[in-house]
Amino acid sequence: MWDRAGQLTAPPSRGCGKQESTAAAGKQRSETTWRNMETSQAHSSERMSTDLSELLKEATKEVHEQAENTPFMRNFQKGQVSLQEFKLVTASLYFVYSALEEEIERNKNNPVYAPVYFPAELHRKAALEEDLKYFYGKNWREEIPCPEATQKYVERLHYIGKNEPELLVAHAYTRYLGDLSGGQVLKKIAQKALQLPSTGEGLAFFTFDGVSNATKFKQLYRSRMNALEMDLATKKRVMEEAKNAFLLNIRVFEALQELVSKGQENGHPVQPKAELLRTRNVNKSHEHGPAAGKESERTKMRNTDTPPTTSLVRWIVALSFLAMTVAVGLFAM
């Protein structure tokens, strides 16, 4: 159209302006909806990323991958484990769990630990005592070694139990969930490799009578961990302590390696692997009669071709990243 001045003007809108306004409003609402969805997803992601169990799993992922590829893990899964190393590791674990469970009992009513207090289901001290009595005899307390590195681990546990109890969950998570996850696998391997009795002697550590379903229990444990009232700064400290737990284990197993390389156990010469197996089974034959004696003879025959202990030193260094049963177990957490 032309106006009176001869200028071209726009035609009447005939409602087009209203339609454009409606479309613009619809577009704005759509964009708002997407922004709200993205915000909601971001918040959900943030909640997931701050779950303590997820944070710990992520924080220890690298060391898990390293441990999975150690020569020790490959050899252990092939059943290449000696009685000597098994006994030494069991002894060190006894000191570690004694300290850990003493501090857990100290803090069982403390809100920073109480939700994950499961003594009947998880505690290992009593089971380790059974195993040590089997391996070392009734005077096992006087026989088992406690290297300096193990003592430092024990001291760390006592320190945090008294001064920083919120960090106890890092050690409990690292140890118990690993034990629970890989326990049955390691139990079968050790039983076969060391020719231990099918009735379970020497393997109590791996047996969790109070847990009927490991998968469901681990889910419960993680949910309790995530419910612990901790700010992000505290969670970061727990993550660092979980990594520190691995470092403490590295030092423990380095010390055990030194004992093996020197051929000593608690200041006394260590018998060769085959001799240890024969001695243990001969003792059992006296305790349990002729049937056990026959088993002793079979054991003796099976071990006549066993290589000397020194040949095993080459792979025991792989114990560095192993938290004994945690080693396999943790990878499944």
Side-chain angles (χ1 to χ4, degrees):
M1 294 181 62
W2 299 85
D3 63 10
R4 293 178 182 178
Q7 301 294 321
L8 183 63
T9 61
S13 67
R14 299 182 183 278
C16 289
K18 184 177 180 181
Q19 291 175 4
E20 291 172 359
S21 176
T22 302
K27 182 179 180 181
Q28 184 176 2
R29 284 196 299 271
S30 178
E31 291 176 348
T32 300
T33 300
W34 279 109
R35 282 196 298 271
N36 290 340
M37 290 176 63
E38 290 172 353
T39 301
S40 176
Q41 290 173 354
H43 288 165
S44 176
S45 177
E46 183 179 354
R47 285 194 298 272
M48 289 178 63
S49 66
T50 56
D51 280 350
L52 185 56
S53 63
E54 292 297 321
L55 290 173
L56 285 174
K57 185 176 182 179
E58 186 64 27
T60 56
K61 183 178 180 180
E62 184 177 349
V63 71
H64 285 179
E65 291 175 352
Q66 293 173 6
E68 283 180 314
N69 293 309
T70 58
F72 175 82
M73 283 305 305
R74 292 194 294 268
N75 287 328
F76 194 98
Q77 292 181 64
K78 293 175 184 177
Q80 297 175 359
V81 58
S82 75
L83 181 62
Q84 180 188 351
E85 285 101 19
F86 194 79
K87 288 170 60 178
L88 291 173
V89 169
T90 302
S92 278
L93 287 175
Y94 169 74
F95 292 112
V96 170
Y97 277 97
S98 295
L100 176 59
E101 290 167 11
E102 180 180 338
E103 296 309 324
I104 286 174
E105 288 300 316
R106 185 196 306 276
N107 291 282
K108 64 183 179 181
N109 296 318
N110 190 323
V112 301
Y113 190 83
V116 291
Y117 178 65
F118 291 99
E121 292 84 357
L122 297 177
H123 284 194
R124 299 287 86 199
K125 180 182 176 182
L128 285 162
E129 288 177 345
E130 288 183 34
D131 291 340
L132 291 170
K133 184 177 181 180
Y134 173 77
F135 288 124
Y136 287 93
K138 62 181 181 180
N139 295 322
W140 62 268
R141 294 182 190 275
E142 290 74 39
E143 295 293 328
I144 60 175
C146 183
E148 183 180 356
T150 301
Q151 184 58 37
K152 288 186 180 296
Y153 195 165
V154 167
E155 289 171 1
R156 178 60 182 169
L157 289 167
H158 284 311
Y159 175 83
I160 64 173
K162 295 173 183 177
N163 301 285
E164 301 179 82
E166 64 275 10
L167 301 184
L168 273 177
V169 68
H171 290 274
Y173 168 86
T174 301
R175 297 247 42 118
Y176 292 126
L177 262 65
D179 300 335
L180 192 57
S181 296
Q184 294 308 303
V185 174
L186 286 173
K187 179 179 181 179
K188 292 178 181 178
I189 292 173
Q191 190 171 50
K192 182 177 180 180
L194 302 177
Q195 294 121 27
L196 296 174
S198 59
T199 47
E201 285 91 338
L203 298 167
F205 177 76
F206 300 99
T207 305
F208 291 80
D209 291 328
V211 178
S212 58
N213 187 310
T215 300
K216 290 183 178 179
F217 181 82
K218 286 186 290 184
Q219 291 173 348
L220 170 63
Y221 194 92
R222 291 190 188 99
S223 68
R224 293 284 189 89
M225 284 179 60
N226 297 335
L228 290 170
E229 295 185 5
M230 292 183 180
D231 56 26
L232 188 56
T234 302
K235 289 178 180 179
K236 288 180 178 178
R237 290 173 54 233
V238 173
M239 292 161 61
E240 289 303 312
E241 189 64 27
K243 289 186 280 188
N244 187 38
F246 276 96
L247 294 175
L248 289 167
N249 278 283
I250 289 172
R251 293 168 189 144
V252 166
F253 289 107
E254 286 175 345
L256 297 183
Q257 177 192 350
E258 185 177 353
L259 282 177
V260 172
S261 64
K262 289 181 177 179
Q264 291 188 345
E265 186 174 326
N266 202 22
H268 302 290
V270 175
Q271 295 170 290
K273 177 184 175 183
E275 183 63 25
L276 278 169
L277 287 169
R278 285 197 298 272
T279 301
R280 177 176 58 78
N281 283 282
V282 167
N283 289 340
K284 287 297 173 182
S285 70
H286 290 304
E287 294 177 11
H288 301 293
K294 292 179 181 179
E295 178 63 25
S296 174
E297 289 302 317
R298 288 195 295 271
T299 299
K300 183 175 180 179
M301 293 177 62
R302 282 194 293 267
N303 284 283
T304 54
D305 297 327
T306 303
T309 303
T310 53
S311 66
L312 295 165
V313 174
R314 292 193 300 271
W315 59 263
I316 191 175
V317 68
L319 284 165
S320 295
F321 286 104
L322 180 71
M324 181 52 182
T325 59
V326 175
V328 169
L330 274 176
F331 314 139
M333 289 196 305

